[in-house]
Amino acid sequence: MAAINTEPHPPSHTPETEVKDPKFIPSDWRPPIWVRVLPALENIFYGANISNILSAHKNTFLDVMAWLPYGIIHFGAPAVCSIIIFVFSAPGTLPVFARSFGYMNIIGVFIQLCFPCSPPWYENKYGLAPANYSVKGSPAGLGRIDELFGIALYTPGFTGSPMVFGAFPSLHAGSGVAEALFMSHIFPRLRPVFSVYILWLWWATMYLSHHYAVDLVGGSLLAAVVFYVARGKYLPRQQPDKMFRWDYDYAEIGDDPSEQGYALADFNTRGHADTDEWTIGSSSSISSGSISPVDESNSIWEGETLASHSDSEAKR
C-alpha cells in the first residue's frame, strides 16, 4: 500500500478563492511571497532560527506573559503614551508623536505590501513550501490564549486578516520602539524601564511565532529613523526644570539650540490674563524673563515678534 502524505500544505490558488474576498487587491497585482528569505537571513545573522528556539518550550505561564505585551499592551500603549505626552512634555510634542507614529506605520505597511514575507507560523505549519494569497492567516500562539479563556478574540481576526504576509518589518516592534523613544525623550531616567519593555515585546513576538528576529530589527530601525528625523527637525526639547506642559514659557525645536529653535510665549503672560493662547515671540515678550534660545541679532523672527522691545519697555 502506498504511503499517504499527511503533511499540511498551502491551499492551491484558484480564482474562486479571490471571489470570496473581492475587497482585497487581486493577486496578479501583488508581488511574489518570499518564504525562504527571512529564515535564511535569520540563520545568516544569528546562526539559528531564534523564533523556533524560543517557541520550542511552551506552557500556560509563558503564554500569558507573551500575550500581555503582544495582545494587550500593544493596542493600548499609543493612547496611554499620548495622554502622558500631552501632560508631561513640552507643548508641540504630541502632534510630532502622532505624525511620527502614523508615518512609521504607513511606511511599514508599504514595505509589507511590496515585500511580502511569510511569518514563522507559516514555516511551522507548511515548511518552506511556496505560498499564495489564498492562504488564511493564523493567530499562532495567540490561539492558545483563546483556548485558555474560552473566547474567540484573536482567531477570527488573524484568520480573516488581509495582511497575512506582513512579517517584515514588524510593526509591533516598530510601535513599541517609537513609544519607548518618545517616552525616553520625556523621561530619560526611565530609559532602562522602556528598554526592558522592548525586550519583553521582542521575546513575545518570537515566542508566539508571529515574527522572526530580523523582522524586529527591521521594525525597530524604521521607528528609530523616523524618531531621530523628527527629533532633529520638529520635536520640542524637554527642559529639565519643567514637569508639566503648562510650566513652559517657551519651547525650543530640534537638537542644536544654536541653529534651530523658537520661543513660545507664556499663555499666562502678565498683562494678557484674558487669553491662554500660545504665541510666538522673542524673549522680550515673555514676562518670566527667560533667556531667549536664539540670538536676537541673528534671529529669523526679528521684526516679526508679537511684542516688540518698545512694548516691553513701556510695560516696565
Side-chain angles (χ1 to χ4, degrees):
M1 180 182 293
I4 299 176
N5 183 9
T6 58
E7 182 179 355
H9 56 84
S12 31
H13 176 71
T14 63
E16 288 76 12
T17 58
E18 275 189 21
V19 173
K20 294 178 181 178
D21 298 300
K23 63 181 178 180
F24 298 162
I25 302 173
S27 62
D28 55 349
W29 294 7
R30 295 182 173 185
I33 300 166
W34 299 90
V35 175
R36 299 175 180 268
V37 171
L38 297 183
L41 291 176
E42 192 91 345
N43 282 280
I44 292 173
F45 292 149
Y46 313 115
N49 189 320
I50 301 178
S51 176
N52 286 346
I53 293 174
L54 293 178
S55 62
H57 303 285
K58 308 176 183 69
N59 59 57
T60 302
F61 174 76
L62 293 179
D63 289 346
V64 173
M65 290 300 296
W67 165 61
L68 289 175
Y70 193 86
I72 297 295
I73 299 176
H74 167 75
F75 297 101
V80 173
C81 289
S82 296
I83 294 172
I84 294 174
I85 289 172
F86 179 80
V87 174
F88 294 101
S89 68
T93 302
L94 181 56
V96 177
F97 169 72
R99 293 189 183 98
S100 300
F101 198 82
Y103 289 141
M104 180 207 65
N105 278 277
I106 291 173
I107 295 171
V109 170
F110 180 78
I111 295 173
Q112 292 173 350
L113 290 172
C114 296
F115 183 58
C117 296
S118 59
W121 63 257
Y122 180 92
E123 182 184 358
N124 297 337
K125 189 174 183 179
Y126 302 117
L128 298 178
N132 58 69
Y133 289 106
S134 65
V135 175
K136 295 295 183 181
S138 170
L142 288 176
R144 299 192 295 272
I145 297 298
D146 284 356
E147 296 175 2
L148 177 64
F149 295 109
I151 56 177
L153 181 60
Y154 298 102
T155 301
F158 278 95
T159 54
S161 173
M163 188 68 75
V164 177
F165 299 103
F168 182 90
S170 167
L171 292 180
H172 267 77
S175 298
V177 169
E179 292 153 1
L181 288 172
F182 273 92
M183 289 294 97
S184 297
H185 174 75
I186 301 170
F187 308 107
R189 293 184 179 180
L190 297 180
R191 187 173 288 111
V193 176
F194 303 131
S195 299
V196 170
Y197 168 69
I198 294 304
L199 293 176
W200 184 21
L201 179 62
W202 278 28
W203 165 80
T205 61
M206 292 185 285
Y207 172 81
L208 295 171
S209 298
H210 279 263
H211 288 286
Y212 295 100
V214 68
D215 305 334
L216 308 179
V217 173
S220 299
L221 287 176
L222 174 60
V225 169
V226 172
F227 169 78
Y228 285 109
V229 169
R231 191 185 72 171
K233 295 185 177 182
Y234 309 106
L235 189 62
R237 293 196 297 277
Q238 290 292 114
Q239 297 177 17
D241 59 332
K242 305 292 192 300
M243 176 174 290
F244 303 105
R245 64 176 289 115
W246 45 83
D247 294 334
Y248 283 76
D249 293 327
Y250 62 90
E252 302 167 292
I253 305 298
D255 287 329
D256 189 351
S258 66
E259 295 180 359
Q260 297 181 3
Y262 60 81
L264 294 176
D266 184 9
F267 57 82
N268 286 323
T269 302
R270 296 169 192 169
H272 298 278
D274 57 337
T275 178
D276 62 353
E277 295 180 354
W278 288 84
T279 55
I280 299 177
S282 67
S283 60
S284 60
S285 65
I286 300 175
S287 62
S288 63
S290 301
I291 299 176
S292 171
V294 188
D295 185 0
E296 289 291 335
S297 62
N298 297 323
S299 174
I300 62 174
W301 300 101
E302 185 174 2
E304 299 180 3
T305 58
L306 299 182
S308 64
H309 291 284
S310 59
D311 293 336
S312 301
E313 292 296 332
K315 290 181 181 180
R316 294 175 184 170

